[in-house]
Amino acid sequence: MQSAITRSFLGKQRWKPQRAYRTQACHSGTERTFHTSRRRASISDDVRDNRSQGTLKNSPKPIALQLLPRPLGVQNPPKWRPVSREEKNRELFDEDKVIERRDILKRLNQEAYYADVHKLSFHGGKTWIAPPQLIREERSLYFPNMSGKPIGESPPPEDKSQSPENRKEQRMLRGPYIPMEGGKCHTGQIGQGNVSIIAITNSQISQEHVKAWTRGLTDKWRGHERFRFLHVNLQQNPLRTFLVSMFASKLRQEVPKYFHQSYIISYENIDYVREAIGLENKFVGYVYLVDWENRIRWAGCGGPWNGDDSPTTSTQGGPVSEEPTNTPSIAAGRKKDVPEGGLSGQISEGLVQGLGEVERLERCMKVLMNRLDTLVKEGKVL
């Protein structure tokens, strides 16, 4: 039995027919419903079109890639030895460094969560073109120290009593000796006194980028006693770091055995130096050519540009850029004079205009290795 309150409430409710739009024929209920739904469909289509136009207006526009505009790196040389508590406190409460770290965190927090994903749609995430020559030594900056655990054990130090041919054969089979400090490998310690190629990856896409950069170069120079190839698998997420370490056996199958001791899995926080070394997209591979003083003398990012005529194309298949204005020509077969200490403070030595980025890296690598051999013979580098 219904209560009095329920009966009074039901009595007040009245059925109200759906309002029909006036048309030429709207007498039957079927036609009225048809015209109402058509009107609503047209309104939803207009709203959808307006939203799509707004999205296109707010979406980032592709820009033409330019040469690396500045030297990359940090001001201070890398430190890999344990730091005392007093030095940590001095650096932690330094007013200038506190302001610098605060500004960096502000810029990072202003970026969208999927900003790096959206950047992949333009040039495959590539943000600049590698310089055609080495960065001048007096203007070059230092590569920050990165530490991590290798996926394999390092061979013992070389026996100097053996002949150079035997030592080279052992390096070709087992790889070079990699020192460790505190159970970890440090890029600053490994690169001291050597010419190093440091690759930074975070995803499968970046792994393919690094392979395209170093496919033939590492095999060519790995027999040299002063060459080091360091692959840093940078995972700043603790969960991803754990998963990568769990599947280290798969990495050992993919990476050649003579590079196991120099393949480092790192979980360091590099937010304070990310902008300084040009690491703008975590899904893109980066390659750095570092000299015997841990200075960045050359750098490349993304898929290497193959050096075709303008408009150029990258390994991703998309356009890279037209020839930049007021800058050295990057198109194949178009050579222009570059003044010494021009763009990015680069030197004229090792100038490789008109070549792809991989060829530029090979030429700059050769120039740097020849200079190191000369310094070693003169006794200036131990």
Side-chain angles (χ1 to χ4, degrees):
M1 178 178 292
Q2 298 178 348
S3 62
I5 298 176
T6 306
R7 287 195 301 270
S8 63
F9 176 75
L10 294 175
K12 291 181 180 180
Q13 286 185 339
R14 295 181 180 179
W15 177 80
K16 295 181 180 180
Q18 188 177 7
R19 183 177 180 181
Y21 296 96
R22 293 184 179 181
T23 57
Q24 294 180 358
C26 57
H27 300 289
S28 61
T30 305
E31 294 178 354
R32 183 182 299 119
T33 305
F34 170 75
H35 289 292
T36 303
S37 62
R38 185 175 62 181
R39 176 65 176 174
R40 290 177 178 174
S42 62
I43 293 175
S44 62
D45 293 340
D46 295 339
V47 173
R48 191 183 300 110
D49 294 340
N50 293 333
R51 288 179 178 177
S52 62
Q53 292 178 2
T55 304
L56 292 175
K57 291 180 180 180
N58 297 330
S59 60
K61 297 180 180 180
I63 58 176
L65 296 182
Q66 305 292 334
L67 292 173
L68 181 64
R70 60 181 176 86
L72 301 179
V74 294
Q75 296 291 338
N76 300 322
K79 299 179 180 179
W80 59 87
R81 292 183 176 85
V83 183
S84 63
R85 181 175 298 181
E86 295 179 357
E87 293 180 356
K88 287 183 179 180
N89 293 336
R90 191 183 304 111
E91 184 178 357
L92 183 63
F93 296 105
D94 188 1
E95 185 177 357
D96 295 335
K97 293 185 177 181
V98 169
I99 295 175
E100 182 181 357
R101 288 195 294 264
R102 184 185 62 186
D103 295 339
I104 292 174
L105 291 178
K106 282 183 179 180
R107 289 193 295 269
L108 292 176
N109 291 330
Q110 290 176 357
E111 294 182 357
Y113 185 78
Y114 294 102
D116 292 343
V117 178
H118 293 307
K119 291 177 183 178
L120 293 176
S121 58
F122 304 121
H123 317 300
K126 194 178 185 68
T127 52
W128 34 267
I129 298 176
Q133 64 265 17
L134 292 172
I135 298 174
R136 196 165 54 186
E137 184 176 0
E138 54 268 23
R139 294 197 59 185
S140 59
L141 302 175
Y142 294 98
F143 188 87
N145 183 61
M146 294 185 182
S147 62
K149 294 184 178 181
I151 62 174
E153 296 182 357
S154 174
E158 296 181 358
D159 188 4
K160 299 295 183 179
S161 61
Q162 296 181 358
S163 62
E165 292 77 10
N166 293 337
R167 284 184 292 169
K168 182 177 180 180
E169 185 179 356
Q170 292 180 3
R171 284 194 299 267
M172 296 291 289
L173 294 176
R174 301 182 303 175
Y177 166 70
I178 301 297
M180 299 183 68
E181 183 76 25
K184 293 182 178 180
C185 294
H186 300 266
T187 58
Q189 183 182 14
I190 299 171
Q192 190 70 26
N194 302 308
V195 173
S196 307
I197 292 180
I198 302 178
I200 299 179
T201 59
N202 181 269
S203 61
Q204 187 64 32
I205 300 176
S206 57
Q207 295 272 3
E208 298 299 327
H209 290 165
V210 171
K211 288 180 182 179
W213 283 101
T214 62
R215 184 173 291 112
L217 187 63
T218 54
D219 293 336
K220 179 181 178 181
W221 289 99
R222 64 186 178 90
H224 198 285
E225 61 178 350
R226 294 282 182 169
F227 171 72
R228 299 292 183 269
F229 174 62
L230 304 177
H231 193 143
V232 181
N233 192 327
L234 186 62
Q235 304 292 339
Q236 296 185 272
N237 189 332
L239 179 59
R240 292 191 62 179
T241 305
F242 174 74
L243 294 176
V244 171
S245 60
M246 286 290 292
F247 292 96
S249 59
K250 184 178 179 181
L251 290 176
R252 296 189 189 98
Q253 296 176 1
E254 297 177 355
V255 179
K257 188 176 181 179
Y258 42 81
F259 286 143
H260 283 183
Q261 66 271 20
S262 60
Y263 190 102
I264 304 171
I265 300 176
S266 177
Y267 52 89
E268 287 186 348
N269 185 9
I270 63 167
D271 289 340
Y272 296 131
V273 298
R274 182 184 296 274
E275 184 178 355
I277 62 177
L279 211 154
E280 302 178 7
N281 194 327
K282 60 184 177 181
F283 297 109
V284 174
Y286 291 83
V287 177
Y288 302 90
L289 181 60
V290 184
D291 67 0
W292 49 93
E293 294 181 350
N294 287 312
R295 293 178 178 272
I296 300 176
R297 307 297 300 276
W298 190 91
C301 71
W305 167 57
N306 55 21
D308 290 339
D309 286 326
S310 179
T312 58
T313 56
S314 67
T315 56
Q316 303 296 325
V320 174
S321 69
E322 298 286 343
E323 179 179 343
T325 58
N326 299 327
T327 56
S329 174
I330 61 173
R334 301 179 183 178
K335 298 185 179 181
K336 294 182 179 180
D337 296 333
V338 182
E340 183 176 357
L343 191 68
S344 301
Q346 299 153 357
I347 61 174
S348 58
E349 183 178 4
L351 188 63
V352 285
Q353 297 285 353
L355 294 178
E357 289 182 308
V358 176
E359 289 79 7
R360 296 180 182 187
L361 175 58
E362 293 177 354
R363 297 287 185 89
C364 292
M365 179 73 185
K366 185 177 180 180
V367 171
L368 212 57
M369 291 298 296
N370 292 337
R371 183 178 300 177
L372 178 59
D373 292 338
T374 303
L375 294 176
V376 170
K377 291 180 181 180
E378 295 176 356
K380 296 180 180 181
V381 176
L382 300 179

